[in-house]
Amino acid sequence: MLATRLSPYLKKLTAKHPAIYKQFVPSVKEENDNKITLVDPLTEEHFTPVRGLVHKHDNRVLVLLTMNCSAYCRFCTRRRKVSDIAQGVISEADLDNMVKYIKKHPKIKELIFSGGDPLTVPVILKKALEKFTKLSQIKVIRVGTRLMVSDPRLINEKVLDALRVVKKQPLYLMVHFEHPAEITLATIKAVKKLQTVSTMLLCQSVFLKGVNDNVEILEELFSRLIEIGVKPYYLSRCDYVRGAEHFIVPIKKEIKIFTELRIRLSGIACLMYIIDVPGGMGKVPVPADFWQFDCKQYTDFTGKKFKVVETKK
Ligand code: SF4
């Protein structure tokens, strides 16, 4: 099992909030696995043509810049290697190999930087962005991070300077919040700094048993996120990752919560509930439980039926 990683900031937060403690501090439950789960649930290793680059879809690739992370979320999909020092950081030679590979695949238009946390290695992130943003085929840049939650003081001038390299393309920051207690003053300050250099902050959250499997908690989380300028984007079912089985919420409970959220939340706080298919071929949206849409009629939030009005040709 890999080690716990807690910044002094996160140490204080875990001491105050059990929902945050459960996310970052190891539990004996991690040893009780029934073997349904997988070490690499999204089969990323299989789709890695050059070191650090995962290519599954024609139009986009994942760049795993580093396995370094300032936290170690116990449900992390890449817990097989996150924080494993031996995995190291991507080198300039690796970046050059990626550039060669991308040029040979002109359908690739979008880059998604992930890890680990790419913002923990601003020097190599800046180099990577300098190389990749020059490619005329690249139209969209995404960077995933949870640094504003795990160690907000690390959102510093070095990080912002690296992100400022992206000028031609829109820069989407894919952030990650699980519980409203993560939205502290320090985190809000870090979010505001990131907003000065990015096009938009989109939040990906995961249903986690004992952390956020509750309508009120998620309603508060997504409502507060739009108040600080972060758009809720995905709410996903926890991946079947080995050692994280105790975080998986019963599917019926998730659908019930998501359905209720759709009724309660403001439109811009609504997000897509998805399952990332084991085997790694994409994200499948899970429908809310009330539409009963059959192309002739549908049901609204209150159970009232409506006919679909079609125009005559
Ligand atoms: S912040 Fe992201 S990459 Fe780092 S441990 Fe958590 S889920 Fe994994």
Side-chain angles (χ1 to χ4, degrees):
M1 188 193 298
L2 299 173
T4 315
R5 299 200 73 181
L6 290 178
S7 62
Y9 169 83
L10 210 46
K11 233 181 212 163
K12 277 193 201 157
L13 222 53
T14 52
K16 269 184 27 202
H17 302 283
I20 299 183
Y21 182 95
K22 278 182 194 158
Q23 292 181 58
F24 296 103
V25 178
S27 150
V28 286
K29 291 179 185 163
E30 293 176 30
E31 307 296 339
N32 302 330
D33 205 298
N34 70 12
K35 308 291 181 241
I36 294 172
T37 51
L38 302 162
V39 173
D40 177 16
L42 305 181
T43 54
E44 290 177 340
E45 305 298 340
H46 178 73
F47 291 97
T48 301
V50 294
R51 183 171 184 254
L53 188 124
V54 180
H55 189 192
K56 288 183 184 174
H57 308 282
D58 278 355
N59 60 350
R60 56 200 188 274
V61 286
L62 189 62
V63 179
L64 299 178
L65 211 54
T66 174
M67 282 305 126
N68 187 48
C69 196
S70 70
Y72 182 36
C73 310
R74 310 311 299 175
F75 52 89
C76 179
T77 302
R78 296 193 193 103
R79 54 176 287 155
R80 67 187 183 279
K81 57 186 188 180
V82 163
S83 293
D84 183 351
I85 298 160
Q87 299 276 341
V89 180
I90 287 300
S91 67
E92 267 205 85
D94 293 320
L95 293 177
D96 291 336
N97 288 336
M98 290 184 207
V99 168
K100 272 189 217 149
Y101 180 88
I102 291 169
K103 281 184 174 170
K104 278 191 203 151
H105 295 80
K107 284 187 183 165
I108 297 171
K109 290 181 166 184
E110 190 174 334
L111 296 179
I112 306 159
F113 290 88
S114 186
D117 197 317
L119 298 198
T120 61
V121 287
V123 174
I124 194 75
L125 175 64
K126 187 172 182 179
K127 283 201 176 114
L129 290 172
E130 280 165 354
K131 287 179 193 283
F132 292 130
T133 52
K134 277 190 198 133
L135 302 175
S136 57
Q137 71 189 81
I138 298 302
K139 307 294 184 202
V140 176
I141 305 276
R142 288 197 238 172
V143 179
T145 180
R146 205 181 183 195
L147 204 52
M148 72 293 301
V149 169
S150 52
D151 203 350
R153 84 198 148 94
L154 291 185
I155 308 283
N156 54 28
E157 205 35 53
K158 254 190 173 175
V159 166
L160 300 177
D161 184 53
L163 294 172
R164 278 190 202 106
V165 168
V166 187
K167 290 198 172 72
K168 273 200 314 199
Q169 298 88 348
L171 170 64
Y172 296 94
L173 291 180
M174 314 307 293
V175 301
H176 178 176
F177 287 84
E178 295 294 346
H179 191 278
E182 292 161 18
I183 307 175
T184 63
L185 286 177
T187 292
I188 294 172
K189 212 168 145 191
V191 163
K192 284 197 189 315
K193 284 188 203 167
L194 290 171
Q195 283 164 338
T196 64
V197 295
S198 74
T199 308
M200 192 187 276
L201 270 68
L202 296 164
C203 179
Q204 312 184 108
S205 305
V206 181
F207 264 124
L208 297 172
K209 193 192 270 182
V211 173
N212 63 13
D213 53 340
N214 172 290
V215 181
E216 281 72 30
I217 288 173
L218 288 178
E219 182 186 10
E220 187 185 344
L221 174 63
F222 300 136
S223 302
R224 290 198 57 202
L225 283 176
I226 59 166
E227 287 166 20
I228 61 167
V230 177
K231 165 80 183 96
Y233 171 52
Y234 276 147
L235 173 58
S236 59
R237 182 156 172 76
C238 187
D239 288 331
Y240 303 134
V241 57
R242 181 127 327 144
E245 196 189 330
H246 58 291
F247 282 113
I248 298 175
V249 179
I251 187 91
K252 282 189 178 165
K253 185 173 185 186
E254 288 185 354
I255 292 173
K256 199 165 176 242
I257 293 172
F258 176 66
T259 303
E260 184 62 28
L261 285 171
R262 184 63 190 80
I263 298 169
R264 293 190 191 190
L265 287 171
S266 147
I268 54 167
C270 286
L271 69 181
M272 201 187 289
Y273 164 38
I274 53 113
I275 297 180
D276 215 342
V277 183
M281 290 321 291
K283 296 176 174 65
V284 171
V286 183
D289 202 17
F290 35 52
W291 312 121
Q292 296 165 352
F293 207 102
D294 71 2
C295 292
K296 288 195 176 137
Q297 64 172 20
Y298 58 92
T299 306
D300 77 354
F301 305 113
T302 64
K304 198 170 163 190
K305 288 198 187 314
F306 290 86
K307 283 202 178 345
V308 176
V309 181
E310 294 248 58
T311 51
K312 284 181 190 157
K313 279 183 194 163

